[in-house]
Amino acid sequence: MPSTVTLHAWATPAFVGGSPVDHTWVTTYDNQRHHYANAAAVAAAGKDYWFCWGSYHPTGGTPGDPTGTLGKQSGHLALAQCLVQSNADSATVPAAQGTILIYGIDGVCHQLANQVLYATTGTRLTVKKARGYGASSFLYGTYGLRHAAWASKIQHCLGTSALAAGGAGGVTKMQGLPDDFEEHARSVLGDEEPELLAKLLSLKGEVQNFTAQRIPGFAPPSPETINARNQHLIDQAALLLGPKHFERVFGFPPGEKINLVDPSVTSRK
């Protein structure tokens, strides 16, 4: 890819006041130094903003960090733009959805931001520092639940079959891509609680197989329904781990209400 830029990942508190969850998005500029009124102004300046299933935010900022920065890293602009269209609202432009086509079912903002950040060089940047990421990566993985579609998207945008070098299974199973939840869980539990770690990773596999299934109906389930389902699954992890280990792995205490799906996104469609 010809053009290299710096990709910046940002966070701001999610839609529910007091919620331990951040919304995340990506830009090609430092929003602490450059302030644009809207996405049209960003595009007019020759810069890129990826909505990542959220509204436009001129700057970042969270309770833990007034800038809301989650990291920055060199990346290939054309690859990022191919994977996820920039300067376009994910709620209304399919190309701006990556492979998170059904919000709250295939993934949420964290997974879509990670799809943009797949274009970073070296060890790929993700939004793993965002609040609530332990829950979202437990439920939806690092890049969302449409594994085959994501592998195909990468191959299409790279214009190469490099991912298939190890055989078809390497593409289908997404081998070699980071599993942020597993890596963090191993760092927390691996040495002291190997059996508990194995049970947790087994539960994660069951949970993601379950969440990948389509809920029957003529229309997608409501955000309230998805959030209730997600809460139940997170509570299962809390029952398995106990309070101390759960908070170390997930980043918030058991019993805290976690709403990953923003009801206002549906209204913007």
Coordinates of all heavy atoms in Angstrom, one line a residue, residues 7-76:
L7 N -2.3 6.2 12.5 CA -3.6 5.9 12.9 C -3.7 6.1 14.4 O -3.0 5.5 15.1 CB -4.1 4.5 12.5 CG -4.2 4.3 11.0 CD1 -4.4 2.8 10.7 CD2 -5.3 5.1 10.3
H8 N -4.7 7.0 14.8 CA -4.9 7.3 16.2 C -6.2 6.6 16.6 O -7.3 6.7 16.0 CB -5.1 8.8 16.4 CG -3.9 9.6 16.0 ND1 -3.0 10.1 16.9 CD2 -3.4 10.0 14.8 CE1 -2.0 10.8 16.3 NE2 -2.3 10.7 15.0
A9 N -6.2 5.9 17.8 CA -7.4 5.3 18.4 C -7.8 6.1 19.6 O -7.0 6.5 20.4 CB -7.1 3.9 18.8
W10 N -9.1 6.4 19.7 CA -9.7 7.3 20.7 C -10.8 6.6 21.5 O -11.4 5.7 21.0 CB -10.2 8.6 20.1 CG -9.2 9.3 19.2 CD1 -9.0 9.2 17.9 CD2 -8.1 10.1 19.7 NE1 -8.0 10.0 17.5 CE2 -7.4 10.6 18.6 CE3 -7.7 10.6 21.0 CZ2 -6.3 11.4 18.7 CZ3 -6.7 11.4 21.1 CH2 -6.0 11.9 19.9
A11 N -11.1 7.2 22.7 CA -12.2 6.7 23.5 C -12.9 7.9 24.1 O -12.3 8.9 24.4 CB -11.7 5.7 24.6
T12 N -14.2 7.7 24.3 CA -15.0 8.6 25.1 C -16.0 7.8 25.9 O -16.4 6.7 25.4 CB -15.7 9.7 24.2 OG1 -16.2 10.8 25.0 CG2 -16.8 9.1 23.4
P13 N -16.5 8.2 27.0 CA -17.5 7.4 27.7 C -18.7 7.1 26.8 O -19.2 7.9 26.1 CB -17.9 8.3 28.9 CG -16.7 9.2 29.1 CD -16.2 9.4 27.8
A14 N -19.2 5.8 26.9 CA -20.3 5.4 26.1 C -21.6 6.1 26.5 O -21.6 6.9 27.4 CB -20.4 3.8 26.2
F15 N -22.6 5.7 25.9 CA -23.9 6.4 25.9 C -24.6 6.5 27.3 O -25.4 7.4 27.5 CB -24.9 5.8 24.9 CG -25.1 4.3 25.1 CD1 -26.2 3.8 25.8 CD2 -24.2 3.4 24.7 CE1 -26.4 2.5 26.0 CE2 -24.3 2.0 24.9 CZ -25.5 1.6 25.6
V16 N -24.3 5.6 28.2 CA -25.0 5.6 29.5 C -24.1 6.2 30.5 O -22.9 5.8 30.7 CB -25.3 4.1 29.9 CG1 -25.9 4.1 31.3 CG2 -26.2 3.4 28.9
G17 N -24.6 7.3 31.1 CA -23.8 8.0 32.1 C -23.3 7.0 33.3 O -24.1 6.3 33.8
G18 N -22.0 7.1 33.6 CA -21.5 6.3 34.7 C -21.2 4.8 34.3 O -20.7 4.1 35.1
S19 N -21.5 4.5 33.0 CA -21.2 3.1 32.5 C -19.7 2.9 32.4 O -19.0 3.8 32.0 CB -21.9 2.9 31.2 OG -21.4 1.7 30.6
P20 N -19.2 1.8 32.8 CA -17.8 1.5 32.7 C -17.4 1.0 31.3 O -16.6 0.1 31.1 CB -17.5 0.4 33.7 CG -18.8 -0.4 33.7 CD -19.9 0.6 33.4
V21 N -17.9 1.6 30.3 CA -17.7 1.3 28.9 C -17.4 2.5 28.1 O -18.0 3.6 28.2 CB -19.0 0.6 28.3 CG1 -18.8 0.2 26.8 CG2 -19.3 -0.7 29.1
D22 N -16.4 2.4 27.2 CA -16.0 3.5 26.3 C -16.5 3.2 24.9 O -16.4 2.0 24.4 CB -14.5 3.6 26.2 CG -13.9 4.2 27.5 OD1 -14.6 5.0 28.2 OD2 -12.7 3.9 27.8
H23 N -16.8 4.3 24.2 CA -17.0 4.2 22.7 C -15.6 4.5 22.1 O -14.8 5.3 22.6 CB -18.0 5.2 22.2 CG -17.9 5.4 20.7 ND1 -18.3 4.3 19.9 CD2 -17.5 6.4 19.9 CE1 -18.1 4.7 18.6 NE2 -17.7 5.9 18.6
T24 N -15.3 3.8 21.0 CA -13.9 3.9 20.4 C -14.1 4.3 18.9 O -15.1 3.9 18.3 CB -13.1 2.6 20.5 OG1 -13.8 1.5 19.9 CG2 -12.9 2.3 22.0
W25 N -13.1 5.0 18.4 CA -13.1 5.3 17.0 C -11.6 5.6 16.6 O -10.7 5.6 17.4 CB -14.0 6.5 16.6 CG -13.5 7.8 17.2 CD1 -12.9 8.8 16.5 CD2 -13.7 8.4 18.5 NE1 -12.6 9.9 17.2 CE2 -13.1 9.7 18.5 CE3 -14.3 7.9 19.6 CZ2 -13.1 10.5 19.6 CZ3 -14.3 8.7 20.8 CH2 -13.7 10.0 20.8
V26 N -11.4 5.8 15.3 CA -10.1 6.0 14.7 C -10.0 7.2 13.8 O -11.0 7.5 13.1 CB -9.7 4.7 13.9 CG1 -8.2 4.8 13.4 CG2 -9.8 3.5 14.8
T27 N -8.9 7.9 13.9 CA -8.6 9.0 13.0 C -7.2 8.9 12.4 O -6.4 8.2 12.9 CB -8.8 10.4 13.7 OG1 -7.7 10.5 14.7 CG2 -10.1 10.5 14.4
T28 N -7.0 9.8 11.4 CA -5.6 9.9 10.8 C -5.0 11.2 11.3 O -3.9 11.6 10.8 CB -5.6 9.9 9.3 OG1 -6.5 11.0 8.8 CG2 -6.0 8.6 8.7
Y29 N -5.6 11.8 12.4 CA -5.0 13.1 12.9 C -5.2 13.1 14.4 O -5.9 12.3 15.0 CB -5.8 14.3 12.3 CG -7.3 14.2 12.6 CD1 -7.8 14.8 13.7 CD2 -8.1 13.6 11.7 CE1 -9.2 14.8 14.0 CE2 -9.5 13.5 12.0 CZ -10.0 14.1 13.1 OH -11.4 14.0 13.3
D30 N -4.4 13.9 15.1 CA -4.4 14.0 16.5 C -5.5 15.0 16.9 O -5.4 16.2 16.6 CB -3.1 14.6 17.0 CG -3.0 14.7 18.5 OD1 -4.0 14.6 19.2 OD2 -1.9 14.8 19.1
N31 N -6.6 14.6 17.5 CA -7.8 15.5 17.7 C -7.5 16.4 18.9 O -8.4 17.2 19.2 CB -9.1 14.7 17.8 CG -9.1 13.8 19.0 OD1 -8.5 14.0 20.1 ND2 -9.9 12.7 18.9
Q32 N -6.4 16.2 19.6 CA -6.0 17.2 20.6 C -5.4 18.4 20.0 O -5.3 19.5 20.6 CB -5.1 16.5 21.6 CG -5.6 15.3 22.3 CD -6.9 15.6 23.1 OE1 -6.9 16.5 24.0 NE2 -8.0 14.9 22.8
R33 N -4.9 18.3 18.8 CA -4.2 19.4 18.1 C -5.1 20.0 17.0 O -4.9 21.1 16.7 CB -2.9 18.9 17.5 CG -1.9 18.4 18.6 CD -0.6 17.9 17.9 NE 0.0 18.9 17.0 CZ 1.0 18.6 16.2 NH1 1.4 17.4 16.0 NH2 1.5 19.6 15.4
H34 N -5.9 19.1 16.3 CA -6.7 19.6 15.2 C -8.2 19.3 15.6 O -8.5 18.2 15.8 CB -6.3 18.8 13.9 CG -4.8 18.9 13.6 ND1 -4.3 20.0 13.0 CD2 -3.8 18.1 13.8 CE1 -3.0 19.8 12.8 NE2 -2.7 18.7 13.3
H35 N -8.9 20.4 15.5 CA -10.3 20.3 15.9 C -11.2 20.5 14.6 O -11.1 21.6 14.0 CB -10.7 21.2 17.0 CG -9.9 21.0 18.2 ND1 -8.8 21.8 18.6 CD2 -10.0 20.0 19.2 CE1 -8.3 21.3 19.7 NE2 -9.0 20.3 20.1
Y36 N -12.0 19.6 14.3 CA -12.9 19.7 13.2 C -14.4 19.6 13.6 O -14.7 18.8 14.5 CB -12.7 18.6 12.1 CG -11.3 18.6 11.6 CD1 -10.3 17.7 12.0 CD2 -10.9 19.6 10.7 CE1 -9.0 17.7 11.5 CE2 -9.6 19.6 10.2 CZ -8.6 18.6 10.6 OH -7.4 18.7 10.1
A37 N -15.2 20.4 13.1 CA -16.6 20.5 13.5 C -17.4 19.2 13.2 O -18.3 18.8 14.0 CB -17.3 21.7 12.9
N38 N -17.1 18.6 12.1 CA -17.9 17.4 11.7 C -17.0 16.6 10.7 O -15.9 17.0 10.3 CB -19.2 17.8 11.1 CG -19.1 18.9 10.1 OD1 -18.2 18.8 9.2 ND2 -19.9 19.9 10.1
A39 N -17.6 15.5 10.3 CA -16.9 14.6 9.4 C -16.6 15.3 8.0 O -15.6 15.0 7.4 CB -17.6 13.3 9.2
A40 N -17.5 16.1 7.6 CA -17.3 16.8 6.3 C -16.1 17.7 6.4 O -15.4 17.8 5.4 CB -18.6 17.7 6.0
A41 N -15.9 18.4 7.5 CA -14.8 19.2 7.7 C -13.5 18.4 7.8 O -12.4 18.8 7.2 CB -14.9 20.1 9.0
V42 N -13.5 17.2 8.3 CA -12.4 16.3 8.3 C -12.0 15.9 6.9 O -10.8 16.0 6.5 CB -12.7 15.0 9.1 CG1 -11.6 14.0 9.0 CG2 -12.9 15.3 10.6
A43 N -13.0 15.6 6.1 CA -12.8 15.2 4.7 C -12.2 16.3 3.9 O -11.3 16.2 3.1 CB -14.1 14.6 4.1
A44 N -12.8 17.5 4.2 CA -12.3 18.7 3.4 C -10.9 19.0 3.7 O -10.2 19.6 2.9 CB -13.2 19.9 3.8
A45 N -10.4 18.7 4.9 CA -9.0 18.9 5.3 C -8.1 17.8 4.8 O -6.9 17.8 5.1 CB -8.9 19.0 6.8
G46 N -8.7 16.8 4.1 CA -7.9 15.7 3.6 C -7.5 14.7 4.7 O -6.5 13.9 4.5
K47 N -8.3 14.6 5.7 CA -8.0 13.7 6.8 C -9.2 12.6 6.9 O -10.1 12.7 6.1 CB -8.0 14.4 8.2 CG -6.9 15.5 8.2 CD -5.5 15.0 8.1 CE -4.5 16.1 8.2 NZ -3.1 15.6 8.1
D48 N -9.0 11.6 7.8 CA -10.0 10.5 7.8 C -10.5 10.3 9.3 O -9.7 10.4 10.2 CB -9.3 9.2 7.4 CG -8.9 9.3 5.9 OD1 -7.8 9.8 5.6 OD2 -9.7 8.8 5.1
Y49 N -11.8 10.1 9.4 CA -12.4 9.8 10.6 C -13.3 8.5 10.4 O -14.1 8.5 9.5 CB -13.3 10.9 11.0 CG -14.1 10.8 12.3 CD1 -13.6 11.4 13.5 CD2 -15.2 10.0 12.5 CE1 -14.3 11.3 14.7 CE2 -15.9 9.8 13.7 CZ -15.4 10.5 14.8 OH -16.1 10.3 16.0
W50 N -13.1 7.5 11.2 CA -13.9 6.3 11.2 C -14.9 6.3 12.3 O -14.5 6.3 13.5 CB -13.0 5.1 11.2 CG -12.3 4.8 10.0 CD1 -12.7 4.0 8.9 CD2 -11.0 5.3 9.6 NE1 -11.8 4.0 7.9 CE2 -10.7 4.7 8.3 CE3 -10.0 6.1 10.2 CZ2 -9.5 5.0 7.6 CZ3 -8.8 6.3 9.5 CH2 -8.6 5.8 8.3
F51 N -16.2 6.4 12.0 CA -17.2 6.5 13.0 C -17.3 5.3 13.9 O -17.6 5.4 15.1 CB -18.6 6.7 12.3 CG -18.8 8.1 11.9 CD1 -18.2 8.5 10.7 CD2 -19.7 8.9 12.5 CE1 -18.5 9.8 10.3 CE2 -20.0 10.1 12.1 CZ -19.4 10.6 10.9
C52 N -17.1 4.1 13.4 CA -17.1 2.8 14.2 C -18.4 2.7 15.0 O -18.4 2.4 16.2 CB -15.9 2.8 15.1 SG -14.3 2.8 14.3
W53 N -19.5 2.8 14.2 CA -20.8 2.6 14.8 C -21.1 3.6 15.9 O -21.9 3.4 16.8 CB -21.1 1.2 15.3 CG -21.4 0.2 14.2 CD1 -20.6 -0.8 13.8 CD2 -22.6 0.2 13.4 NE1 -21.3 -1.5 12.8 CE2 -22.5 -0.9 12.6 CE3 -23.8 1.0 13.4 CZ2 -23.5 -1.2 11.7 CZ3 -24.8 0.6 12.5 CH2 -24.6 -0.5 11.7
G54 N -20.5 4.8 15.8 CA -20.9 5.9 16.8 C -21.2 7.2 16.1 O -21.2 7.3 14.9
S55 N -21.5 8.2 16.9 CA -21.7 9.5 16.4 C -20.3 10.2 16.2 O -19.3 9.7 16.6 CB -22.5 10.4 17.4 OG -23.7 9.7 17.6
Y56 N -20.3 11.4 15.6 CA -19.1 12.1 15.5 C -18.6 12.7 16.8 O -19.4 13.4 17.5 CB -19.2 13.2 14.4 CG -17.9 14.0 14.2 CD1 -16.9 13.5 13.5 CD2 -17.8 15.3 14.8 CE1 -15.7 14.2 13.4 CE2 -16.6 16.0 14.7 CZ -15.6 15.5 14.0 OH -14.4 16.2 13.8
H57 N -17.4 12.6 17.1 CA -16.8 13.1 18.4 C -15.6 14.0 18.0 O -14.6 13.4 17.5 CB -16.4 12.1 19.3 CG -17.5 11.2 19.8 ND1 -18.4 11.6 20.8 CD2 -18.0 10.0 19.4 CE1 -19.3 10.7 21.0 NE2 -19.1 9.7 20.2
P58 N -15.6 15.3 18.2 CA -14.4 16.1 17.8 C -13.2 15.8 18.6 O -12.1 15.9 18.1 CB -14.9 17.5 18.1 CG -16.1 17.4 19.0 CD -16.7 16.1 18.7
T59 N -13.3 15.4 19.8 CA -12.2 15.0 20.7 C -12.5 13.8 21.5 O -13.6 13.4 21.7 CB -11.8 16.2 21.6 OG1 -12.9 16.4 22.5 CG2 -11.4 17.4 20.8
G60 N -11.4 13.2 22.1 CA -11.6 12.1 23.0 C -11.5 12.6 24.4 O -11.2 13.7 24.7
G61 N -11.7 11.7 25.4 CA -11.6 12.0 26.8 C -12.4 11.0 27.6 O -13.6 10.7 27.3
T62 N -11.7 10.4 28.6 CA -12.4 9.4 29.5 C -12.1 9.8 30.9 O -11.2 10.6 31.2 CB -11.9 8.0 29.2 OG1 -10.5 7.9 29.6 CG2 -12.1 7.6 27.7
P63 N -12.8 9.2 31.9 CA -12.5 9.5 33.3 C -11.0 9.1 33.7 O -10.4 9.8 34.5 CB -13.4 8.5 34.1 CG -14.6 8.4 33.1 CD -14.0 8.4 31.8
G64 N -10.4 8.2 33.0 CA -9.0 7.8 33.3 C -8.0 8.6 32.5 O -6.8 8.5 32.8
D65 N -8.4 9.3 31.4 CA -7.5 10.0 30.6 C -8.2 11.2 29.9 O -9.1 10.9 29.1 CB -6.9 9.0 29.5 CG -5.9 9.7 28.6 OD1 -5.7 10.9 28.7 OD2 -5.4 9.0 27.7
P66 N -7.9 12.4 30.2 CA -8.6 13.5 29.6 C -8.5 13.6 28.1 O -9.3 14.3 27.5 CB -7.9 14.8 30.3 CG -6.6 14.3 30.8 CD -6.8 12.8 31.2
T67 N -7.5 13.0 27.5 CA -7.3 13.0 26.0 C -8.1 11.8 25.4 O -8.4 11.9 24.2 CB -5.8 12.9 25.6 OG1 -5.3 11.6 25.9 CG2 -5.0 13.9 26.3
G68 N -8.3 10.7 26.2 CA -9.0 9.6 25.6 C -8.2 8.8 24.6 O -8.7 8.0 23.8
T69 N -6.9 9.0 24.6 CA -6.1 8.3 23.6 C -5.8 6.8 24.0 O -5.5 6.6 25.1 CB -4.7 9.0 23.3 OG1 -4.0 8.3 22.3 CG2 -3.9 9.1 24.6
L70 N -6.0 5.9 23.0 CA -5.8 4.5 23.2 C -4.5 4.0 22.6 O -4.2 2.9 22.7 CB -7.0 3.7 22.7 CG -8.3 4.0 23.4 CD1 -9.5 3.3 22.7 CD2 -8.3 3.7 24.9
G71 N -3.9 4.9 21.8 CA -2.7 4.5 21.1 C -2.6 5.1 19.7 O -3.6 5.6 19.2
K72 N -1.4 5.2 19.2 CA -1.2 5.6 17.8 C -0.1 4.8 17.2 O 0.8 4.3 17.9 CB -0.9 7.1 17.7 CG 0.4 7.5 18.4 CD 0.6 9.0 18.3 CE 1.9 9.4 18.9 NZ 2.2 10.8 18.8
Q73 N -0.3 4.5 15.9 CA 0.7 3.7 15.2 C 0.7 3.9 13.7 O -0.4 4.2 13.2 CB 0.4 2.2 15.5 CG 1.6 1.2 15.3 CD 1.4 -0.1 16.1 OE1 1.2 0.0 17.3 NE2 1.4 -1.2 15.4
S74 N 1.8 3.7 13.1 CA 1.9 3.9 11.6 C 1.0 2.8 11.0 O 0.9 1.7 11.4 CB 3.3 3.7 11.2 OG 3.4 3.7 9.8
G75 N 0.4 3.2 9.9 CA -0.5 2.2 9.2 C -0.6 2.6 7.7 O -0.3 3.7 7.3
H76 N -1.2 1.7 7.0 CA -1.4 1.8 5.5 C -2.8 2.4 5.3 O -3.8 1.7 5.5 CB -1.2 0.5 4.8 CG 0.1 -0.1 5.0 ND1 1.3 0.4 4.4 CD2 0.6 -1.2 5.7 CE1 2.3 -0.3 4.7 NE2 1.9 -1.3 5.5

